[in-house]
Amino acid sequence: MNKVSAIAAALVAALGVFANKPAQAAGLDRLYILNCGEGTAGDISRWSPGVNVGKSMPFVDNCYLLKHGADWMLWDTGLTDALAAMPEGLKPADPAATHWYRPKTLASQLEALGVKPSDIKYMAVSHTHPDHIGNVEMFPQAMLYVQKLEYDWPGANNAPRFKPEHPVTKLEGDKDVFGDGSVTILSTPGHTPGHQSLLVKLPKTGNLVLSGDAVHFKSNWDNRGVPSGNFSKEQTLASMEKLDGVLKKEHATLWINHDKAQRDTLKMAPGYYE
Ligand SMILES: [Zn+2]
């Protein structure tokens, strides 16, 4: 090889280093954490059978707003905004369950960010419990991503879980929402039949997994505690293992939706992660 072609080869090799860099999740710009409820869990042994019987615990409820280029996506919609007008909050029928309040509406937090409900192009919910789907119909135009198993799961009195006219993409497994790996819905059944979590890749913050209710608080994650009311204990444990694998593979941090101690360490909107 002469000198010129050796230099050319070296240049090609150097360029190859760049070409082989892992695909940048350049598409996702920001993540906001919105306050979608606060409450008190009456007896946390409901979530961790046999542990801390009779002990109450503060819970929070988050929604997450993602900005991807010109598009907005909402992950979970929290408790209904109507709850903000109820000073006594929503007292559960079972005192062991969670007594929820809504200190701020979702609508007011979006407005403060200059985001109109009609700007939300995509929406996904972790599952169909009331503390996650309370405001789905504030976004009648948003494409809803939900697992088919969750969508088809009969509600009370066989009622459908969503308005049949709401635009929907029924998933059967994981889904790369924007096609660039920046936001991936992960099928994590167990809490409910079609529960899902969200892998988010931010350019500066790094990779996050938003738990949904695959786990409710850190000690349950550490000890693989499964709430007594979950749809399937086996699926819950398998989903926790799946998430553990994703966390390791993606060097991701787990953000647990209802864990107040963790949320107290995080920036709430209008602050954001990028
Ligand atoms: Zn929940």
Side-chain angles (χ1 to χ4, degrees):
M1 194 185 283
N2 66 33
K3 201 173 174 188
V4 172
S5 61
I7 290 169
L11 273 173
V12 168
L15 288 170
V17 170
F18 289 105
N20 289 332
K21 260 177 60 174
Q24 281 265 327
L28 192 60
D29 303 305
R30 286 184 184 185
L31 176 150
Y32 295 89
I33 309 175
L34 307 175
N35 183 334
C36 276
E38 293 180 4
T40 305
D43 181 345
I44 58 168
S45 67
R46 200 170 188 264
W47 290 270
S48 49
V51 182
N52 290 322
V53 177
K55 217 179 133 189
S56 72
M57 188 189 212
F59 267 21
V60 292
D61 192 22
N62 296 323
C63 300
Y64 303 85
L65 178 68
L66 307 174
K67 184 174 188 297
H68 183 281
D71 296 330
W72 292 96
M73 173 178 174
L74 190 63
W75 169 249
D76 273 340
T77 70
L79 292 148
T80 173
D81 271 4
L83 190 53
M86 297 163 61
E88 304 295 312
L90 196 62
K91 207 173 173 180
D94 174 359
T98 312
H99 189 155
W100 286 115
Y101 299 85
R102 233 218 198 267
K104 291 175 173 184
T105 61
L106 174 58
S108 70
Q109 292 171 81
L110 290 175
E111 195 185 348
L113 295 172
V115 177
K116 296 189 290 291
S118 60
D119 292 336
I120 305 293
K121 191 168 178 185
Y122 305 108
M123 172 169 53
V125 292
S126 57
H127 63 296
T128 53
H129 284 160
D131 52 325
H132 298 264
I133 59 160
N135 298 296
V136 163
E137 288 311 322
M138 194 189 297
F139 315 95
Q141 81 295 332
M143 175 54 72
L144 172 68
Y145 287 97
V146 62
Q147 298 292 321
K148 185 175 187 300
L149 283 172
E150 191 80 5
Y151 193 91
D152 293 341
W153 185 31
N157 302 317
N158 259 347
R161 302 224 161 221
F162 298 97
K163 282 196 173 175
E165 63 270 29
H166 195 113
V168 65
T169 302
K170 296 177 200 169
L171 306 175
E172 294 179 76
D174 298 351
K175 168 75 180 173
D176 179 348
V177 177
F178 295 100
D180 61 4
S182 63
V183 179
T184 307
I185 293 170
L186 304 170
S187 167
T188 50
H191 183 58
T192 60
H195 183 278
Q196 49 191 16
S197 306
L198 198 71
L199 170 65
V200 172
K201 298 188 175 181
L202 283 161
K204 291 185 186 164
T205 305
N207 300 343
L208 304 169
V209 169
L210 308 182
S211 63
D213 285 4
V215 58
H216 289 74
F217 43 84
K218 186 168 184 299
S219 68
N220 258 10
W221 173 253
D222 293 342
N223 299 304
R224 298 294 189 263
V226 177
S228 53
N230 272 17
F231 173 73
S232 162
K233 182 174 180 176
E234 291 68 31
Q235 287 182 2
T236 302
L237 290 169
S239 290
M240 285 192 196
E241 284 316 300
K242 174 175 175 171
L243 289 182
D244 196 43
V246 171
L247 292 173
K248 286 176 178 144
K249 177 170 177 275
E250 304 288 352
H251 305 286
T253 303
L254 180 65
W255 281 7
I256 303 175
N257 189 321
H258 290 310
D259 191 306
K260 182 179 187 295
Q262 185 184 40
R263 194 183 81 173
D264 285 349
T265 68
L266 300 175
K267 253 183 301 200
M268 301 296 292
Y272 57 83
Y273 291 87
E274 56 186 358

